[in-house]
Amino acid sequence: MTQSNLPRARAIIVDAVKTPAHMGEVAVEDRNLPDDELLIDVEYSSLNFKDAMALAGNPGIVRTTPLVPGIDAVGTVSAAPGGQFREGQAVLVNGAGLGEFRNGGYTQRVRVPAGQTIALPGPLNARQAAAIGTAGFTAALCVQALIDHGLTAEESDPVLVTGATGGVGSIAIHLLSQLGVNVAALTGRSDEYGDYLRGLGAAKVLDRAEFAEKGKPLQKARFAGVIDTVGSHTLVNAIAQLKWGATAAACGMAQGPDLPGTVLPFILRGVTLVGANSVDAPLRMRERAWGIIARHLDLDVLEQMTQEVGLDEVIAAGEELLAGKRHGRTVVRID
């Protein structure tokens, strides 16, 4: 089958780096799929900060062109040559190179890696799974990391969540709260979003200005853990305020990728720094993280933090996200 005769699907496309996205069509190879790939009909995707950067043609995200952005894809299997899934089965994919170096979820039909695809967890429908998306998946990876390193609900001191109004932060706060953990939310917009964060389960709302500049290598120990989406001085200051033996889970770099600190918290307080990589996480970790979400996330709370846009609205929504005009989660309807 030649390229011109291939079935075509409506899609958002980035043709070149540093060039904004536009609506168009892409050809989708639907024959001779290798055993390690699936073809899915996409029902929903979501808008993450990484997606917004891809929509703007950011070369740090867009690794090849032309490219369909969208690091999440939720839909039904239309072809499954390897036998891991059946046609018509509801599935989801987060990361796995989608929207970076292979076409992602902002299209009606897409090929995805079977080894990083999971069946839709029973309590969730496609829209809810997309609303959770990579942000919720990443949050769950971080929560699981803290639990694996000893965090329990019996701990009275709070876990700090930075970048609290974003998708990862919002869902991390809610999951921790649902698990009975005391949560402190860090944001630069406490006046505007304080009630929102407390509604998610935060017991305290702190001002990010306290963490944004260089601080002492060791500070008063007051946190039982940290989930950080910011990096740089914010993460270093949070680590400096961890209790003995506590853990920081790092998954973002909104302030910067640098780590301008010292080894003192690690060797004097025995703290641990772990990373969460939602793109390359193996299947076992994916299923485990989505298990936490399926068991503990309140779907009514998810709905309250979720906004929906159509495929033809996602470019404008991405611009709003980059401008700091969106919070919580944005689900993208593909139809």
Side-chain angles (χ1 to χ4, degrees):
M1 185 181 292
T2 65
Q3 182 78 9
S4 60
N5 292 328
L6 288 173
R8 303 190 71 81
R10 187 167 175 257
I12 300 294
I13 303 168
V14 177
D15 282 324
V17 295
K18 299 183 180 180
T19 300
H22 62 90
M23 180 70 77
E25 289 186 341
V26 291
V28 184
E29 173 61 80
D30 61 352
R31 298 183 183 181
N32 303 316
L33 287 176
D35 288 350
D36 61 351
E37 289 200 348
L38 304 171
L39 188 66
I40 67 172
D41 294 326
V42 185
E43 296 177 38
Y44 290 96
S45 184
S46 71
L47 177 64
N48 302 278
F49 199 80
K50 185 182 286 186
D51 297 316
M53 291 192 291
L55 288 167
N58 188 306
I61 305 299
V62 178
R63 310 295 179 85
T64 183
T65 57
L67 179 76
V68 176
I71 62 176
D72 295 319
V74 185
T76 57
V77 176
S78 60
Q84 306 101 311
F85 297 91
R86 66 181 185 278
E87 291 185 15
Q89 185 174 7
V91 296
L92 64 88
V93 192
N94 309 115
L98 270 64
E100 294 186 78
F101 55 82
R102 61 184 298 158
N103 283 345
Y106 293 171
T107 184
Q108 296 166 309
R109 178 172 283 193
V110 67
R111 292 169 58 165
V112 299
Q116 292 172 295
T117 301
I118 69 169
L120 190 70
L124 305 174
N125 61 35
R127 183 183 185 278
Q128 291 163 339
I132 295 162
T134 286
F137 171 50
T138 303
L141 287 174
C142 291
V143 170
Q144 186 66 64
L146 296 189
I147 293 171
D148 289 346
H149 285 82
L151 178 69
T152 68
E154 285 68 41
E155 175 59 62
S156 59
D157 289 306
V159 169
L160 180 69
V161 177
T162 72
T165 62
V168 175
S170 295
I171 295 180
I173 289 168
H174 179 62
L175 286 177
L176 289 168
S177 176
Q178 289 288 93
L179 289 165
V181 175
N182 184 6
V183 185
L186 189 69
T187 179
R189 300 185 284 179
S190 56
D191 291 342
E192 186 178 1
Y193 292 117
D195 289 343
Y196 165 77
L197 295 171
R198 282 183 282 269
L200 295 178
K204 295 180 180 179
V205 179
L206 305 178
D207 189 343
R208 72 181 179 198
E210 301 174 26
F211 292 74
E213 304 297 333
K214 182 178 180 180
K216 295 180 179 180
L218 280 178
Q219 302 171 36
K220 181 180 178 181
R222 56 175 177 155
F223 299 120
V226 175
I227 293 179
D228 176 68
T229 68
V230 179
S232 194
H233 290 296
T234 298
L235 175 56
V236 170
N237 284 319
I239 290 172
Q241 297 180 44
L242 284 175
K243 293 179 59 181
W244 198 96
T247 298
C251 62
M253 50 184 181
Q255 187 179 16
D258 55 324
L259 194 67
T262 74
V263 299
L264 293 182
F266 304 102
I267 62 177
L268 296 182
R269 290 185 181 162
V271 306
T272 301
L273 175 61
V274 298
N277 178 352
S278 62
V279 176
D280 302 311
L283 185 61
R284 177 185 62 83
M285 292 184 67
R286 292 173 182 272
E287 292 174 337
R288 201 171 172 217
W290 275 96
I292 290 179
I293 293 168
R295 290 191 302 273
H296 298 291
L297 190 139
D298 185 324
L299 296 178
D300 290 334
V301 173
L302 175 67
E303 182 61 31
Q304 292 168 17
M305 73 170 80
T306 299
Q307 304 168 66
E308 180 174 319
V309 298
L311 186 62
D312 56 353
E313 300 170 299
V314 72
I315 296 173
E319 293 173 352
E320 293 172 355
L321 182 59
L322 291 178
K325 296 179 180 179
R326 283 184 171 265
H327 68 281
R329 297 292 295 137
T330 299
V331 66
V332 181
R333 183 182 66 256
I334 313 293
D335 55 21

